[in-house]
Amino acid sequence: MAGAVGCGEDEKSRAQEAWEQSVPPERLCGGAAVSARAGKALELIAGSSRFEASGRTSTVADAAQDLSDQFTSSFTGHGDVCRIFTPVGVPDVVPLEITWRLSGSAPEGGPGSRYTELEMGELAGTAPDRAFVTFACRSAELPGVAPAHVDLHVSFGAVPAEPEGDVEALVDAYATVAHSFALAMAKELGCADDGGLEAQPSLDPA
């Protein structure tokens, strides 16, 4: 009986410590990637207003440098920006994964049947468990005549169950987060006209 109580207290203590060390969404992934609006969207997706602090190199700035390095040697590449976790003690949420992909050509066709297409950048799509925004970037960081085509993707880090609650709100939330990371990446890369991305996401279906 005493052992069971002790274990429960230890677990509660760890959860309390994790919560005290957690950060608000605007400080995730280097502190420049999550707008206030995207922070609210992350809270809706994760069911929490606090998150584990991101790793020292899990930032948009590091991802932009990696993208630039890969562009120098090839017009294609891919990599991670960061992963987002809720603190210990919050109901289990599989981490969100933010990744980038680089291409030498513009996207062709629509976003695919699983997505609702949005009017952002060159192509954008959103769903109840993921979203992406693709934009064209001309920058001194990415030398060459042709622009680079960068895709920022936000996804639930596992095969998701059927979405619960307000599905439309989830769809908008993922799109908002994807736009925030795409805009942060465009600014970090020094893309002309921020890669054609507006300051706020366009959530109306194309």
Side-chain angles (χ1 to χ4, degrees):
M1 178 75 73
V5 172
C7 180
E9 289 177 349
D10 287 345
E11 185 175 338
K12 183 177 180 180
S13 176
R14 286 195 299 272
Q16 180 65 26
E17 183 179 355
W19 185 264
E20 291 172 354
Q21 294 177 355
S22 64
V23 298
E26 291 82 5
R27 289 178 55 190
L28 292 168
C29 309
V34 182
S35 66
R37 186 170 179 175
K40 293 296 184 184
L42 278 174
E43 291 180 23
L44 174 66
I45 292 169
S48 174
S49 61
R50 305 287 292 185
F51 300 84
E52 286 189 18
S54 304
R56 185 175 57 84
T57 60
S58 296
T59 69
V60 169
D62 283 282
Q65 183 60 59
D66 187 19
L67 188 155
S68 180
D69 291 343
Q70 292 193 40
F71 183 83
T72 301
S73 58
S74 171
F75 283 115
T76 61
H78 60 86
D80 296 326
V81 178
C82 66
R83 294 189 179 190
I84 297 175
F85 299 84
T86 50
V88 173
V90 172
D92 290 343
V93 175
V94 177
L96 288 178
E97 299 177 350
I98 295 89
T99 58
W100 61 267
R101 185 171 297 276
L102 172 67
S103 173
S105 59
E108 297 180 356
S113 60
R114 74 182 302 166
Y115 294 101
T116 296
E117 185 174 354
L118 303 175
E119 291 185 355
M120 289 191 285
E122 291 188 302
L123 184 65
T126 187
D129 63 335
R130 65 192 61 215
F132 74 90
V133 175
T134 305
F135 61 93
C137 179
R138 293 184 183 274
S139 168
E141 299 294 324
L142 307 173
V145 176
H149 303 274
V150 183
D151 173 279
L152 255 294
H153 200 281
V154 178
S155 63
F156 196 70
V159 178
E162 284 294 318
E164 298 179 357
D166 189 339
V167 175
E168 185 175 342
L170 270 177
V171 167
D172 287 350
Y174 272 97
T176 300
V177 175
H179 169 271
S180 185
F181 274 91
L183 183 59
M185 178 67 88
K187 289 180 179 295
E188 188 66 37
L189 289 170
C191 302
D193 192 32
D194 291 336
L197 298 172
E198 300 292 339
Q200 299 297 329
S202 174
L203 302 179
D204 293 330

